[in-house]
């Protein structure tokens, strides 16, 4: 790809970004779009409306200033710790690549003035982007020692940032723990593998066991029951109710416009659906009455204190290690109920089905990647499709095809990956939605790294050579040759998938269109407004992948760094705005996504070291190549230290204070730390008791983990007093 083709791609995406910013600043001011651009504020009653004025149709940047000026503490109080950690990823990346940009100011001229590829000239528009990469530096040149030095300097700086962020986030978790009100999941543990007894039920076994062993701290328990059939009935009834609501709104609209000819048929169908729904509701009530005996060997056990829950969580309960297993309970709204009632065989099969599904999706994605790579090589495209030769010879067309179209096509195919990974993760037996999203986040991240980075890099070389990949020992050399050659493609990918995609997040185009259809065509109101939450499994892998590109290319092709830095600055402002006005958390993991960020960054550094090892060897500086070997070793040792130093704090709330409970030898020093850890958690429990609100909290805790499928079904009423066909259960 030549520089002019890159500038064409940048120009197209920059124009789209400006268009999205302009549209957003105008559309967000229209009262009818409040449910799209400020659903959180609408639900909280904080949205201020005003009469029509000329400013409503003029674009403005006031939202940028508000997003920038909001402090981290304000964001924490509004959106929770997960949102703060999400924004810290942008802050961390901006710091990292600002430092890398300073280094790039030195490296870009060094790369450009080399003549390994072509003689140095100043015809910039027709200059290949490889002229700005390390590939253009002469073999054996002493200038390559500058690249060697910055690899060490940059690695040290990134490790320093990783340590600082891990330490900051760990302390933030502890601070939030001590400053927060009592939360239901802090007092609850999930007990699984309850032993079967022929004399008493699972519920009675749990009651007897914990009353005997935890007489002072045990509060109550809720046994889990098989509700898969009940959940299916409720789902069918709810879907039918929504269909009735839709038919009712259409009938009302038809009456207003005088379309009486269709009313008779609609009334008959409406009555038929009403009868079917009543039958389903009766079936639900009967199933709820009969489900009492359908127990699962699992229960949510609640305690009177965090300390009691922590002890039950950390100590082995039974002599048989396969019985009375305890684990941290998720928040009640975070519980994923379907797999509680699944059999062991179903869960086992589902796990392998998810693995097979990921493999199949990865193999199928080779097709789009090869298509994308063919578009970046016009000569290959002309060979495959000779009838396009005339069109491809046009300068503007060739620049658009090579500079913009490949990354756009790849982005369109990648759009379907996150929902597919969520679906695959949901059948793996996880008991919490946050666990499902975290698993999907890992899947999307490694899928993106493999298919978008490695397959793109290697397929770009496969188009011309295949035998070089047959020997594993050549992998560093293969990457050293292939990775710099794909720099131009990834720059175009950053501006398309990064700049434009992030800007389109503001406009919420699909939600805007659907809102217009609901209000103006279907005649629905915003009475049942649902506030969305951030799709972390979609956004975090994208951010980390751009971080991988920046770390990998910072000394190979530093021209990519300005584009990546712009993306992170853009994402910082855009997502801050969205967290303040659009998104609301449905559950809280308290920053457990950060270890994914840390691990991905370490992987990116080691990958950069492997490529550097290969490229210094190819550039005939074996001494520099040899001196690169200690760098990944030291990076992995640093990673091991961070995992032991900080990761225990992310296991659970109890781990924040009781991470030193796991002691084998109780010498004086360890006993002091042990008692100090007990003291800090007991003090928190005592502070809560002194506030005098724990009785009401215990009443809520007793029923908090009841399966929603067992809650009474009722028909809600609209504000005008008329019955609405929408089903609702008792709030948990």
């Amino acid at each position: 790809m030549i520089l002019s083709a890159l500038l064409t791609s940048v120009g197209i995406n920059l124009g789209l970004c400006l268009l999205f910013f302009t549209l957003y600043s105008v559309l967000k001011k229209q009262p009818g779009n409040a449910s799209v651009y400020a659903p959180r504020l609408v639900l909280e009653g904080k949205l201020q409306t005003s009469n029509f004025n000329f400013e409503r149709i003029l674009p403005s940047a006031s939202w940028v200033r508000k997003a920038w000026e909001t402090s981290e503490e304000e964001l924490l109080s509004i959106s929770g710790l997960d949102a703060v950690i999400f924004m810290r990823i942008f802050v961390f990346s901006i710091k990292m690549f600002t430092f890398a940009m300073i280094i790039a100011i030195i490296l870009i001229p060094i790369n450009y003035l080399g003549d390994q590829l072509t003689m140095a000239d100043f015809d910039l528009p027709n200059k290949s982007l490889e002229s700005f990469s390390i590939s253009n530096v002469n073999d054996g040149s002493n200038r390559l020692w500058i690249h060697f030095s910055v690899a060490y300097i940059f690695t040290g700086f990134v490790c320093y940032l990783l340590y600082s962020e891990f330490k900051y986030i760990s302390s933030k978790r502890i601070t939030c723990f001590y400053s927060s009100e009592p939360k239901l999941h802090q007092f609850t543990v999930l007990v699984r593998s309850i032993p079967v007894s022929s004399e008493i039920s699972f519920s009675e076994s749990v009651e007897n066991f914990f009353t005997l062993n935890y007489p002072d701290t045990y509060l109550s328990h809720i046994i889990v029951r098989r509700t898969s059939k009940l959940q299916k009935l409720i789902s069918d009834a709810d879907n039918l109710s929504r269909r009735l609501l839709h038919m009712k709104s259409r009938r009302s609209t038809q009456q207003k416009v005088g379309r009486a000819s269709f009313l008779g048929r609609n009334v008959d169908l409406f009555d038929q659906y009403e009868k079917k729904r009543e039958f389903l509701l009766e079936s639900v009530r009967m199933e709820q009455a009969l489900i009492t005996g359908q127990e699962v060997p699992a229960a949510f056990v609640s305690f009177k204190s965090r300390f009691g829950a922590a002890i039950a969580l950390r100590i082995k309960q039974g002599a048989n290690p396969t019985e009375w297993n305890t684990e941290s309970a998720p928040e009640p709204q975070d519980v994923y109920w379907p797999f509680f009632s699944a059999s062991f065989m179903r869960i086992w099969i589902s796990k392998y089905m998810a693995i097979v599904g990921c493999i199949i999706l990865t193999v199928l994605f080779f097709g789009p990647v090869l298509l994308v790579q063919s578009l970046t090589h016009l000569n290959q495209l002309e060979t495959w499709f000779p009838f396009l030769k005339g069109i491809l010879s046009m300068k503007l067309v060739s620049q658009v095809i090579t500079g913009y179209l490949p990354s756009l096509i790849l982005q369109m195919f990648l759009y379907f990956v996150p929902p597919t990974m969520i679906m695959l993760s949901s059948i793996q037996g996880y008991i919490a939605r946050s666990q499902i999203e975290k698993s999907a986040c890992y899947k999307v991240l490694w899928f993106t790294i493999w298919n978008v980075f490695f397959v793109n890099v290697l397929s770009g070389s496969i188009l011309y050579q295949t035998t070089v990949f047959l020997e594993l020992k050549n992998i560093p050399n293969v990457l050293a040759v292939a990775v710099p050659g794909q720099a131009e493609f990834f720059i175009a990918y950053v501006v398309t998938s990064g700049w434009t995609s992030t800007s389109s997040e503001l406009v919420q185009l699909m939600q805007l269109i659907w809102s217009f259809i609901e209000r103006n065509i279907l005649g629905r109101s915003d009475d049942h407004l649902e506030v969305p939450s951030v799709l972390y499994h979609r956004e975090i892998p994208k951010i980390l992948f751009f971080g991988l590109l920046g770390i990998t290319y910072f000394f190979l092709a530093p021209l990519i760094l300005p584009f990546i830095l712009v993306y992170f600055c853009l994402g910082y402002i855009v997502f801050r705005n969205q967290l303040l006005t659009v998104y609301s958390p449905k559950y809280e993991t308290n920053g457990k996504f950060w270890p994914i960020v840390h691990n991905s960054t370490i992987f990116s550094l080691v990958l950069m070291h492997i490529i550097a090892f290969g490229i210094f060897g190819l550039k005939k500086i074996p001494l520099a190549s040899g001196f690169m070997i200690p760098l990944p070793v030291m990076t992995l040792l640093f990673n091991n230290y961070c995992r032991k130093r900080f990761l225990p704090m992310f296991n659970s709330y109890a781990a924040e204070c009781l991470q030193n409970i796991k002691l084998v030898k109780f010498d004086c020093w360890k006993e002091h730390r042990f008692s100090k850890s007990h003291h800090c958690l007991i003090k928190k429990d005592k502070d809560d008791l002194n506030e005098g609100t724990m009785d009401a909290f215990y009443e809520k805790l007793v029923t908090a983990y009841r399966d929603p499928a067992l809650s009474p079904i009722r028909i809600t009423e609209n504000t005008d007093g008329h019955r609405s066909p929408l089903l609702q259960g008792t709030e948990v």
Side-chain angles (χ1 to χ4, degrees):
M1 183 189 297
I2 60 176
L3 186 60
S4 58
L6 173 63
L7 294 177
T8 300
S9 177
V10 172
I12 293 173
N13 287 283
L14 186 60
L16 289 173
C17 290
L18 295 175
L19 175 63
F20 288 142
F21 287 150
T22 303
L23 286 174
Y24 172 73
S25 62
V26 174
L27 292 173
K28 71 183 293 289
K29 299 176 184 178
Q30 313 310 312
N33 297 330
S35 61
V36 177
Y37 297 117
R40 179 185 191 130
L41 301 181
V42 172
L43 196 65
E44 296 174 352
K46 298 179 180 179
L47 185 66
Q48 298 178 354
T49 57
S50 59
N51 297 326
F52 177 80
N53 56 70
F54 190 66
E55 291 183 358
R56 273 176 45 184
I57 59 175
L58 291 178
S60 64
S62 58
W63 63 273
V64 177
R65 184 178 66 255
K66 184 178 180 180
W68 177 265
E69 292 177 350
T70 302
S71 67
E72 189 173 273
E73 293 303 319
E74 291 175 319
L75 184 62
L76 177 63
S77 63
I78 293 172
S79 297
L81 185 58
D82 280 342
V84 172
I85 302 306
F86 179 64
M87 296 311 303
R88 291 299 300 186
I89 304 176
F90 286 102
V91 174
F92 165 77
S93 302
I94 290 172
K95 291 178 181 178
M96 178 169 57
F97 291 114
T98 299
F99 181 79
M101 273 293 299
I102 298 174
I103 297 176
I105 295 174
I106 302 172
L107 295 181
I108 290 177
I110 293 176
N111 295 340
Y112 181 74
L113 294 176
D115 57 2
Q116 180 69 27
L117 301 178
T118 57
M119 293 299 293
D121 62 70
F122 298 93
D123 184 17
L124 285 178
N126 295 316
K127 194 78 171 176
S128 171
L129 292 183
E130 286 194 73
S131 301
F132 297 90
S133 71
I134 194 173
S135 302
N136 197 43
V137 180
N138 294 352
D139 293 348
S141 173
N142 288 330
R143 295 177 179 178
L144 291 169
W145 285 101
I146 299 178
H147 297 76
F148 170 84
S149 301
V150 299
Y152 265 86
I153 294 172
F154 182 71
T155 300
F157 181 77
V158 173
C159 289
Y160 166 76
L161 286 181
L162 283 173
Y163 179 84
S164 300
E165 288 296 322
F166 226 147
K167 182 178 180 180
Y168 174 81
I169 292 169
S170 300
S171 64
K172 198 74 173 178
R173 278 174 51 86
I174 297 175
T175 302
C176 290
F177 171 70
Y178 283 116
S179 62
S180 66
E181 297 293 327
K183 294 185 178 180
L184 299 168
H185 66 281
Q186 298 173 3
F187 293 76
T188 307
V189 298
L190 173 63
V191 180
R192 309 183 83 164
S193 303
I194 301 172
V196 179
S197 173
S198 59
E199 300 177 355
I200 58 176
S201 64
F202 287 131
S203 181
E204 292 172 322
S205 294
V206 173
E207 180 75 22
N208 295 339
F209 181 87
F210 284 95
T211 301
L212 176 64
N213 294 290
Y214 298 88
D216 298 327
T217 58
Y218 169 70
L219 177 64
S220 65
H221 74 278
I222 292 181
I223 203 73
V224 180
R225 305 181 187 277
R226 298 190 185 277
T227 59
S228 54
K229 181 180 178 180
L230 183 58
Q231 290 169 359
K232 179 66 168 58
L233 289 172
I234 294 176
S235 177
D236 292 342
D238 192 58
N239 292 334
L240 190 58
S241 297
R242 294 181 186 277
R243 187 179 301 177
L244 284 168
L245 182 64
H246 174 56
M247 292 180 63
K248 185 177 180 181
S249 63
R250 287 188 61 186
R251 185 172 62 178
S252 176
T253 304
Q254 289 171 352
Q255 287 175 338
K256 290 179 181 179
V257 299
R259 297 180 181 176
S261 59
F262 297 97
L263 291 181
R265 183 179 62 183
N266 286 343
V267 169
D268 294 339
L269 191 58
F270 188 88
D271 292 340
Q272 181 181 348
Y273 283 167
E274 277 274 17
K275 293 179 181 179
K276 185 176 180 180
R277 188 193 62 179
E278 291 299 329
F279 173 77
L280 286 173
L281 288 179
E282 186 62 28
S283 300
V284 167
R285 295 186 184 99
M286 290 179 61
E287 184 67 21
Q288 286 179 334
L290 296 173
I291 207 170
T292 306
Q294 301 179 22
E295 295 181 339
V296 174
F300 288 100
V301 181
S302 299
F303 295 82
K304 298 177 183 178
S305 65
R306 298 179 185 85
F307 177 74
I311 293 298
L313 182 65
R314 299 298 173 190
I315 295 178
K316 197 66 184 173
Q317 302 301 321
N320 187 342
T322 64
E323 297 177 348
W324 297 107
N325 294 321
T326 58
E327 57 185 275
S328 300
E331 296 178 343
Q333 65 271 21
D334 187 22
V335 177
Y336 184 69
W337 294 98
F339 266 86
F340 273 112
S341 54
S343 64
F344 173 82
M345 183 60 67
R346 181 188 169 191
I347 295 176
W348 183 80
I349 294 175
S350 297
K351 287 183 178 180
Y352 283 97
M353 286 177 60
I355 295 173
V356 173
C358 290
I359 295 173
I360 292 175
L361 185 62
T362 301
V363 173
L364 291 177
F365 210 78
F366 286 175
V369 171
L370 291 174
L371 172 62
V372 164
Q373 280 300 321
S374 67
L375 292 176
T376 62
H377 299 83
L378 287 182
N379 294 335
Q380 189 70 29
L381 199 61
E382 290 175 358
T383 302
W384 290 353
F385 306 102
F387 58 90
L388 295 177
K389 191 171 184 178
I391 299 177
L392 296 176
S393 62
M394 300 173 62
K395 185 175 181 180
L396 180 60
V397 173
S398 65
Q399 290 177 353
V400 171
I401 290 177
T402 59
Y404 178 69
L405 197 57
S407 52
L408 177 63
I409 293 175
L410 189 59
Q411 176 65 16
M412 291 172 61
F413 279 103
L414 285 172
Y415 181 82
F416 299 98
V417 174
T420 304
M421 293 305 184
I422 275 285
M423 183 271 293
L424 293 175
S425 296
S426 66
I427 65 173
Q428 286 189 277
Y430 293 110
I431 62 163
R433 290 180 173 86
S434 58
Q435 295 174 354
I436 293 173
E437 187 162 24
K438 186 177 178 182
S439 174
C441 186
Y442 270 114
K443 289 182 176 67
V444 175
L445 174 61
W446 297 117
F447 180 90
T448 306
I449 290 175
W450 171 252
N451 284 282
V452 180
F453 183 79
F454 285 108
V455 176
N456 260 297
V457 165
L458 300 180
S459 64
S461 299
I462 289 173
L463 291 174
Y464 300 103
Q465 53 181 338
T466 57
T467 57
V468 73
F469 301 101
L470 297 179
E471 298 184 19
L472 294 178
K473 67 179 183 180
N474 290 331
I475 287 180
N477 293 336
V478 169
L479 293 175
V481 172
V483 172
Q486 293 297 313
E488 56 267 26
F489 168 78
F490 287 120
I491 293 176
Y493 180 80
V494 168
V495 297
T496 301
S497 180
W499 293 10
T500 306
S501 179
T502 303
S503 302
S504 66
E505 166 70 25
L506 286 172
V507 179
Q508 301 279 316
L509 186 58
M510 297 305 298
Q511 290 84 343
L512 180 65
I513 294 173
W514 179 242
S515 175
F516 177 83
I517 293 174
E518 281 190 320
R519 287 185 287 109
N520 298 283
I521 299 178
L522 301 180
R524 299 179 185 174
S525 63
D526 293 331
D527 294 340
H528 302 286
L529 179 65
E530 293 186 6
V531 180
S533 60
V534 181
L535 301 178
Y536 291 118
H537 67 283
R538 183 187 68 186
E539 301 301 335
I540 291 180
K542 181 188 296 185
I543 298 169
L544 297 181
F545 179 70
F546 288 137
L548 178 140
L549 292 180
I551 292 174
T552 304
Y553 278 99
F554 101 95
F555 84 103
L556 297 177
L559 197 63
I560 198 175
L561 295 177
F563 302 98
I564 290 180
L565 188 59
V566 168
Y567 161 73
F568 284 118
C569 294
L570 193 63
Y572 178 80
I573 294 296
V574 168
F575 280 104
R576 261 184 164 246
N577 174 78
Q578 300 299 85
L579 288 169
L580 294 173
T581 59
V582 178
Y583 296 123
S584 177
K586 294 183 178 179
Y587 48 79
E588 184 72 45
T589 70
N590 297 287
K592 288 188 177 181
F593 284 101
W594 181 257
I596 301 177
V597 180
H598 180 90
N599 294 337
S600 175
T601 306
I602 292 294
F603 173 82
S604 302
L605 287 173
V606 173
L607 178 61
M608 182 263 288
H609 301 154
I610 294 173
I611 296 173
F613 173 82
I615 204 161
F616 287 134
L618 292 177
K619 287 292 182 180
K620 299 179 180 179
I621 305 190
L623 187 61
S625 183
F627 282 151
M628 284 300 300
I629 295 176
L631 194 53
V633 175
M634 290 188 293
T635 302
L636 293 175
L637 289 175
F638 164 78
N639 178 55
N640 185 57
Y641 169 77
C642 287
R643 290 177 63 87
K644 292 183 178 180
R645 170 66 175 83
F646 299 113
L647 201 56
M649 301 181 187
F650 285 78
N651 290 333
S652 66
Y653 277 108
E656 291 171 356
C657 280
L658 299 177
Q659 56 183 316
N660 299 313
I661 269 185
K662 299 177 181 179
L663 304 177
V664 179
K665 296 181 180 179
F666 286 84
D667 56 26
C668 295
W669 176 73
K670 287 184 177 180
E671 284 184 357
H672 172 71
R673 294 184 66 186
F674 182 78
S675 60
K676 183 178 179 181
S677 297
H678 275 65
H679 175 72
C680 63
L681 194 58
I682 294 173
K683 184 178 182 299
K684 177 67 174 172
D685 289 330
K686 287 182 177 179
D687 291 341
D688 292 336
L689 289 173
N690 293 334
E691 292 181 3
T693 59
M694 292 305 292
D695 289 338
F697 176 79
Y698 290 151
E699 291 180 5
K700 185 178 180 181
L701 181 59
V702 168
T703 58
Y705 285 90
R706 178 185 295 166
D707 191 334
L710 299 176
S711 300
I713 298 297
R714 58 187 174 89
I715 306 295
T716 61
E717 292 188 356
N718 291 329
T719 54
D720 58 3
H722 293 90
R723 292 201 339 163
S724 168
L726 192 63
L727 295 179
Q728 284 192 354
T730 302
E731 290 291 332
V732 177

